[in-house]
Amino acid sequence: MGELQLMKGNEAIAEAAIRAGCDAYFGYPITPQSEVLEYLMSEKAYERTGMVVLQAESELAAINMVYGAASTGKRVMTSSSSPGISLKQEGISYMAGAELPCLIVNVVRGGPGLGTIQPSQADYFQSTKGGGHGDYRLLVLAPASVQEMSDFVKLAFDLAFKYRNPALILSDGVIGQMMEKVELFEQQPRATTFDQSWVTTGKTPNRERNIITSLNLDPVLQEQHNHHLQEKYERMKAEVRFERYHCDDAEYLMVAYGSSARICQKAVLLAREKGIRVGLLRPITLYPFPSEPLLELSKQVKGILSVEMSAGQMIEDVRLAVHDTVKVEHYGRYGGVIHSPEEVLDAFMKKIVGG
Amino acid sequence: MNEEIIIAGFGGQGVLSMGKILAYSGIMQNMEVSWMPSYGPEMRGGTANVTVILSDERVSSPVLNTYDTAIILNQQSLDKFEDKVKPGGLLLYDSNGITRHPIRKDINIQLVEAATESARMGSTRTFNMIVLGAYLKTKPIVALENVLKGLKKSLPSRHHHLMTLNEEAIKRGMDIVKPFHP
């Protein structure tokens, strides 16, 4: 067993980045994730591993620094919270188009606009359906604990390089600000072991030039490139991850990710104290979405409550997965208010069991 | 064992660090723990609170609406959290600055005059450790040796010379805590 630490989720992200052999972090501070940059600076990541840690002049600058550094085949990341991630969407779309691996962390806060600094999960659409312009997808991981904040940094880099695609960790103010114990993984070397044949680190005489661009003025070629991307997004579906919680004998189901999944775990336990057999399916990857396991579970249950700190975004994927074969309702507080386990249980009783 | 605690008071009273020491103590005793602070607008209003959960099992929700224990260090927090203590639960408070004392009869109410005692000890920085001692006397869910280990872990090394003073403060808290009957 590795060393156990008590850490904030944001600190775990930063420590894991150092340990995952991340080569560069470019960011701009914003609540509730400023601890990521603060930690990298106070831990002197640049001395521990030689990692570049840079506070850019803006979010736009930061994401374009990520674009440039990712073009050299390095492990590069940025982090922000909702309004900052919106500013980064142009760069993210370019990187998806240019097929550049990188890690983006969004510690979500209430919106729209500048909104509030309190936790929210209302960036689901932006994260899973593209976010910027064009037909593209990110690999989206949703940690529900500080341990997963650490583990998913390494996983996200692995997946980003495996598919040459930006990966996103979709967290929120609860998981970012809370402390839990975390078992840190061993320091990894900064040297990358992934395919480097596409990188732009200087042309050698024995090969063609590598060009990294998202621009292709020939629509036929651009369509071909889109076909290639779509084929890749299909292959990414093999990475689907989820957790079943008290599902085996479940008569009802809740579906929730991130901090809402933790709140639902408590709601499940409270319901079971009343003798109601409810389970929880927790999507760990939001793209790819665990549609098949959800469809499978829907055959044994009488109703599904999709719980998210939003006005109802993930529920669309839940409904698509179960094909209207069973009742699906949404519950969630939003705009920065966190629902309590009791509120979730109450909504579950009214909308699913009683309704 | 599953203990759900809210610690609430003014910013600067050591609310968050007390929660952190408690969480670390739990880790030293191989428990599962979570520490969820208030951050944002309510902090700007001068109040700070933290939810700490110590459990033998995996912690479910880090965000709660009712608590086994409320440790209350100012009037606003008493007004906000007295109703949130589960029946049979514990409310521990310092009467310093309190104008309306707790009124519930279905919970265990304990009083610790930590502000007064820390002044007597000559260091107001011992305040939160006196409160912690009072809590541990009432609910000895973690052994003192593990609390001291947790304290050492969460104190920056430049403050390690304060370990003895803090230990003394914890013991003072254990001595002076007393029941309060509304």
Side-chain angles (χ1 to χ4, degrees), chain B residues 108-146:
Chain B
N108 173 14
I109 302 174
Q110 297 282 327
L111 174 67
V112 59
E113 293 182 354
T116 312
E117 193 61 28
S118 67
R120 197 173 292 150
M121 286 181 77
S123 169
T124 51
R125 292 164 79 185
T126 58
F127 171 78
N128 63 346
M129 290 302 98
I130 296 173
V131 177
L132 181 61
Y135 169 68
L136 292 169
K137 176 70 188 298
T138 320
K139 277 201 181 174
I141 55 166
V142 270
L144 183 60
E145 56 175 287
N146 289 325

Side-chain angles (χ1 to χ4, degrees), chain A residues 4-6 8 31-32 117-119 173-174 177-181 243 245 262-263 265-266 269 338-342, chain B residues 2 4 20 23-24 27 30-37 39-42 58-66 153:
Chain A
L4 280 178
Q5 300 264 9
L6 184 69
K8 280 193 171 194
T31 307
I117 59 174
Q118 298 299 108
V174 173
Q177 291 294 326
M178 73 189 285
M179 286 203 280
E180 287 186 312
K181 67 181 176 187
E243 183 192 5
Y245 183 80
R262 296 287 296 271
I263 293 162
Q265 283 172 11
K266 181 97 181 173
L269 297 176
I338 311 167
H339 32 241
S340 68
E342 288 83 2
Chain B
N2 186 60
E4 301 174 340
K20 194 172 164 185
Y24 254 125
I27 291 182
N30 291 321
M31 289 166 148
E32 298 299 322
V33 302
S34 80
W35 175 98
M36 178 68 208
Y39 70 99
E42 71 263 42
R58 173 174 148 180
V59 175
S60 57
S61 176
V63 180
L64 299 167
N65 198 34
T66 57
K153 266 283 220 184

Side-chain angles (χ1 to χ4, degrees), chain A residues 194-205:
Chain A
F194 297 102
D195 168 35
Q196 297 277 298
S197 61
W198 51 271
V199 306
T200 51
T201 48
K203 179 186 171 306
T204 49

